[in-house]
Amino acid sequence: MSTHRPAAPDLPAGPDRPAALLDALVGDLGTIRLGFEAPGVADARGQAVSAGRQLEDHLIPRLESVDAPLLVVVGGSTGAGKSTILNTLVGREATRAGAIRPTTRRPVLLHHPEDAPWFEGARILPGLSRVHPGGSAPEAQAQAPGEGDAPATELELRGLEEVPRGLALLDAPDIDSVASGNRELSRQLLRAADLWLFVTTANRYADAVPWEVLRTAVERDATVAVVMNRIPERPGVPEELATDLRAMLERHGLDPARLFLITESPLRDGGLLPAGGVEEIDGWLRALAADQGARGAIARRTLAGSLEELGGTVASLADRVEEQNRLRGELGDTVDEAFADVRERIEQAVGDGSLLRGEVLARWQDVVGTGEIVRSLETFVGRVRDRLGRALRGEGRPAVAAQDALETGLVHVVVDETARGAERVEQAWRSHPAGQGLVEGADLARMPEGYGQDVAQAVRAWQGDVLELVRSEGADRRTKARVLSLGVNAVGVALMIVVFASTAFIPTGLEVGTGAATAVVGQKLLETIFGEDAVRRLARTAREHLVERLHALVEERAAPFHERLDEVPEGTGPDTLREDSRALADLASRIRSEAAAAAGPGGSSRPTGSDS
Ligand SMILES: Nc1nc2c(ncn2[C@@H]2O[C@H](COP(=O)(O)OP(=O)(O)OP(=O)(O)O)[C@@H](O)[C@H]2O)c(=O)[nH]1
Ligand SMILES: [Mg+2]
């Protein structure tokens, strides 16, 4: 390696750098959060990561210094002879070639010694730590090349006088490797390339994988030169294969900058091909290295194409993010709907008289006296009042027992309905692709400890409200005397009974069953004390208080679901991404017109030479 070290290239700095937009995009992509599962979301996550990587590996550094050496990535099928071709180009074993697949795991970058400053730092491919021949960062030694599935994390740099200044050659791992890490890394490296030198063989060129990878070059309009290696040395065969390969390239929309054919021949010492085999490639690369305009044109074309493609990716990510918001809304709606239903059921149970049964009825009848069904309610009410007067003097125990019975019944309804509501939400989430992951191991429908007691407390608090209502309604002297003669507790229970019967009886007053009769008794009783209008108003107020207190408790059971949703972060919004996408398209077209201007009138962005 040369000892001559030029100063590191000057890079523009600060927020006005042309790449500031791309820096921001790296941030936006990095904070895309696709937390809800849906078909294709896993792919989208991968796209966001590789887009961010492509920006840092290639697009930002290229935009910042369009004249930096051209990065030629040698990629292609496993064992196609990529390393062998590179070694032959530089005339020595600069990168390991071998019979064992895969041979190249750690990428090797060959550059002219004077171009070293462009590659030594983290300007391009910042995720790969730099090592020099023989060296290896300590943390990477555990993962010896040739072992395991994880991609290499290092880039080996070699400064060689044989590499022309102005371009660097990167030996990449195999795109169709048995090692998944290799497959990933080779694609990452090709995404970072200004120019692809794509190597396949006479045997392998029709395989699916190379074409799948080449398609990505077409999508970003990257300049590709194709090498077909190991062509049988028989008359007519190279021409025949070349024709077939050209037709395939054309079918795939790929117009290669060059097509190089290398015939099979015995290797020289050191595993090199006969020098003549790579002469054409060598000549082409040297001409390119010497032609700054042509290099700039290739760099700009790949840059513009990649930015355009990236704009499309970012737009589709915006759609994805929007879909995420929709999924979040859907899951939230499921919760809201289920618990609205819970509230409705509770309200219904509170008002339809269904609580006025069994124990409640028995205790209420203790208050008003069982006895004969009354023909004259007036008489009956009169008798009840007498009785209540006595009951009050007996400390109103039947009234308290009736309140307790109501409390028990109501608590039961609330606990039951909320439990069922929570289970319905859990079920619905479990059968929703995006909800599944949220309920996994979370037990969101679990009844919180002490929930029943909380409900009981709320009901008691409401009973306190009702007694307070009765007290304040009976504030004037005449009413006060009546309330006191009956007992606040007894009058309060009567009002509660009216509340629980309200929708069933008050509007029509016609449904008369056992429960109804007793409720009517309560109502008549209250009417004789407060008057009809006041009773209606009191019942409505009491009912509102109850519903309000119960709703708060129902909401409590919905909270774990909403909290679980809130735990899924939102990340970058779709609008930001759409703006980014537009900015990328603008930038791409600016670079394209720059490239056209640089190429001059009638100029093409094509490198020198032709492939005929
Ligand atoms: N005889 C002969 N052998 C070749 C030729 N090209 C490659 N080979 C051999 O094929 C094997 C694979 O070559 P490599 O250069 O390691 O291939 P590669 O594409 O770099 O392989 P990976 O890095 O594993 O993807 C080696 O043993 C080479 O010596 C050729 O033209 N003739
Ligand atoms: Mg190799």
Side-chain angles (χ1 to χ4, degrees), residues 112-469:
H112 188 276
E114 283 176 28
D115 279 339
W118 291 105
F119 302 107
E120 293 284 353
R123 190 184 65 92
I124 62 162
L125 299 167
L128 298 173
S129 56
R130 290 355 189 206
V131 292
H132 293 94
S136 183
E139 70 270 23
Q141 274 169 357
Q143 177 227 316
E147 274 170 20
D149 241 11
T153 54
E154 298 175 330
L155 176 64
E156 186 178 319
L157 297 180
R158 292 199 73 156
L160 298 172
E161 298 286 352
E162 291 82 354
V163 179
R165 281 203 67 174
L167 60 79
L169 299 161
L170 196 155
D171 188 16
D174 42 353
I175 54 165
D176 48 358
S177 189
V178 291
S180 65
N182 268 12
R183 297 197 297 270
E184 257 167 65
L185 182 57
S186 57
R187 282 163 177 72
Q188 182 191 348
L189 295 170
L190 283 167
R191 272 196 301 272
D194 295 304
L195 172 61
W196 294 27
L197 192 60
F198 198 82
V199 183
T200 184
T201 66
N203 283 334
R204 309 290 305 273
Y205 75 94
D207 291 0
V209 177
W211 295 104
E212 170 238 309
V213 174
L214 283 167
R215 187 175 48 81
T216 66
V218 175
E219 281 165 0
R220 70 182 71 110
D221 197 22
T223 304
V224 181
V226 178
V227 181
M228 186 190 265
N229 193 20
R230 312 200 71 160
I231 300 176
E233 173 97 276
R234 283 198 303 274
V237 171
E239 294 74 18
E240 201 180 320
L241 286 173
T243 307
D244 191 42
L245 178 57
R246 275 204 191 88
M248 276 188 92
L249 287 164
E250 201 173 310
R251 272 206 302 284
H252 286 82
L254 207 138
D255 176 19
R258 290 292 299 254
L259 175 57
F260 298 105
L261 308 174
I262 304 178
T263 45
E264 174 80 50
S265 49
L267 297 172
R268 287 192 279 151
D269 278 354
L272 305 186
L273 299 168
V278 298
E279 221 168 34
E280 235 192 307
I281 304 177
D282 190 52
W284 182 66
L285 288 175
R286 283 184 191 283
L288 191 55
D291 183 345
Q292 195 183 342
R295 276 189 284 129
I298 289 181
R300 284 191 182 90
R301 174 182 160 188
T302 303
L303 177 60
S306 301
L307 289 170
E308 237 157 49
E309 193 225 8
L310 187 63
T313 304
V314 171
S316 79
L317 286 169
D319 292 344
R320 280 291 178 192
V321 169
E322 206 148 66
E323 177 193 50
Q324 291 279 306
N325 294 345
R326 190 172 52 68
L327 292 171
R328 182 189 296 278
E330 245 170 60
L331 293 170
D333 287 349
T334 305
V335 182
D336 293 341
E337 280 159 22
F339 281 93
D341 195 41
V342 168
R343 285 199 303 271
E344 205 171 294
R345 281 160 182 272
I346 291 174
E347 275 188 53
Q348 197 182 346
V350 162
D352 68 0
S354 63
L355 279 166
L356 302 181
R357 270 181 313 192
E359 186 66 13
V360 173
L361 208 52
R363 298 290 75 82
W364 168 239
Q365 280 166 352
D366 287 347
V367 177
V368 295
T370 42
E372 61 284 12
I373 292 293
V374 234
R375 290 210 171 71
S376 156
L377 204 54
E378 278 307 315
T379 328
F380 178 72
V381 167
R383 250 189 284 145
V384 167
R385 280 168 60 179
D386 294 345
R387 222 187 111 78
L388 282 176
R390 289 197 297 281
L392 177 71
R393 284 186 289 281
E395 298 191 339
R397 241 180 294 130
V400 171
Q403 284 180 32
D404 288 349
L406 270 173
E407 175 197 314
T408 308
L410 190 51
V411 168
H412 190 76
V413 167
V414 172
V415 167
D416 223 46
E417 290 296 348
T418 51
R420 266 195 287 176
E423 264 150 38
R424 272 201 303 275
V425 175
E426 201 178 79
Q427 278 301 323
W429 277 22
R430 207 180 284 288
S431 55
H432 190 297
Q436 231 163 43
L438 304 184
V439 289
E440 223 59 72
D443 202 5
L444 299 171
R446 193 182 55 84
M447 176 84 65
E449 193 124 359
Y451 183 70
Q453 279 99 298
D454 290 349
V455 177
Q457 205 175 11
V459 174
R460 281 196 299 273
W462 170 70
Q463 289 176 332
D465 295 346
V466 173
L467 297 184
E468 197 41 55
L469 265 179

Side-chain angles (χ1 to χ4, degrees), residues 52-123:
R53 213 179 263 156
Q54 190 189 1
L55 282 163
E56 291 184 320
D57 284 350
H58 171 58
L59 301 177
I60 294 175
R62 181 47 81 202
L63 188 60
E64 283 185 327
S65 42
V66 84
D67 295 325
L70 206 64
L71 183 65
V72 182
V73 175
V74 183
S77 313
T78 190
K82 300 180 290 296
S83 304
T84 304
I85 290 168
L86 268 181
N87 286 339
T88 309
L89 280 170
V90 296
R92 60 163 104 178
E93 198 188 355
T95 171
R96 206 150 64 92
I100 293 164
R101 299 276 69 78
T103 295
T104 306
R105 301 202 59 131
R106 180 166 76 192
V108 180
L109 190 146
L110 311 178
H111 59 80
H112 188 276
E114 283 176 28
D115 279 339
W118 291 105
F119 302 107
E120 293 284 353
R123 190 184 65 92

